[in-house]
Amino acid sequence: MPSEWILLSYRLPREPSTPRIALWRRLRRLGVAQVSDGLVALPSDARTREQLEWAADHVVDHGGEASLWTARPATDGQERALAEQMSSQRAQEYREVAGEARTALHDDPADARRALLRLRRRHREVARRDFFPPAARDEAAASLRALEAHVAGRPATSGATATALARPGTTAAAR
């Protein structure tokens, strides 16, 4: 668990809605934990601090108010809840990557190759905001390896295939 978190407290005017939507998308790409309305958090390091400084600048540039805070949750339970919230969101994204990779295993090689490129890029995007890696990360990686093997026309390793073909949320060993 991180020892310190960086928090962005912000308020943007309701109209026009475009800056609010742009901020929401930016915060989503960063993988923030929503603490409450207008308050988000990330584990604190130089990168996340800079990213939230840019988000704060966006808010101020569009007529809003923003401030950054460094803080520690008062209890371990509060910190675990933030980490679980973030991990759960990443797990859903990894499961989507794994599901799409499994579906692409049935595509013709040209379509499968395009899907592989798109899913690798998406997997990297998810991994960049993955501060508390969930088990679904391994499932997505195995599904991508199976898709890579399919595109290359070679048999997938048995572990990758079994994991890739497992139902979402399960592992090959659990079946």
Side-chain angles (χ1 to χ4, degrees):
M1 291 285 177
S3 60
E4 197 167 73
W5 293 71
I6 181 113
L7 286 82
L8 169 65
S9 174
Y10 65 93
R11 188 168 52 178
L12 263 173
R14 292 210 175 274
E15 295 295 331
S17 62
T18 303
R20 293 177 65 83
I21 294 168
L23 178 65
W24 178 82
R25 287 181 178 153
R26 176 181 287 200
L27 295 175
R28 187 172 187 280
R29 276 193 310 271
L30 296 176
V32 299
Q34 187 81 42
V35 178
S36 67
D37 191 34
L39 183 63
V40 296
L42 284 173
S44 183
D45 63 25
R47 182 177 62 98
T48 57
R49 183 182 307 257
E50 183 177 14
Q51 291 169 331
L52 288 185
E53 285 173 356
W54 291 339
D57 289 345
H58 172 86
V59 170
V60 172
D61 289 347
H62 290 88
E65 300 171 8
S67 58
L68 293 174
W69 300 78
T70 55
R72 292 181 192 180
T75 67
D76 288 344
Q78 290 172 326
E79 187 164 34
R80 270 193 307 277
L82 281 176
E84 287 171 11
Q85 176 189 9
M86 296 172 80
S87 180
S88 174
Q89 292 167 343
R90 298 302 81 78
Q92 179 60 34
E93 293 172 318
Y94 283 126
R95 282 192 290 271
E96 290 169 6
V97 168
E100 290 180 36
R102 283 190 300 272
T103 299
L105 286 172
H106 305 289
D107 291 348
D108 65 70
D111 288 343
R113 183 180 318 279
R114 282 190 290 276
L116 177 61
L117 294 174
R118 179 177 49 81
L119 292 170
R120 280 182 180 159
R121 185 174 49 252
R122 191 160 163 214
H123 188 267
R124 283 192 301 269
E125 291 169 0
V126 175
R128 274 196 293 268
R129 59 181 172 254
D130 184 5
F131 298 95
F132 306 99
R137 181 181 186 161
D138 295 337
E139 176 188 341
S143 296
L144 287 175
R145 284 193 301 275
L147 184 56
E148 288 169 359
H150 172 69
V151 167
R154 59 179 159 75
T157 60
S158 61
T161 303
T163 302
L165 298 176
R167 287 178 294 152
T170 66
T171 63
R175 293 189 311 152

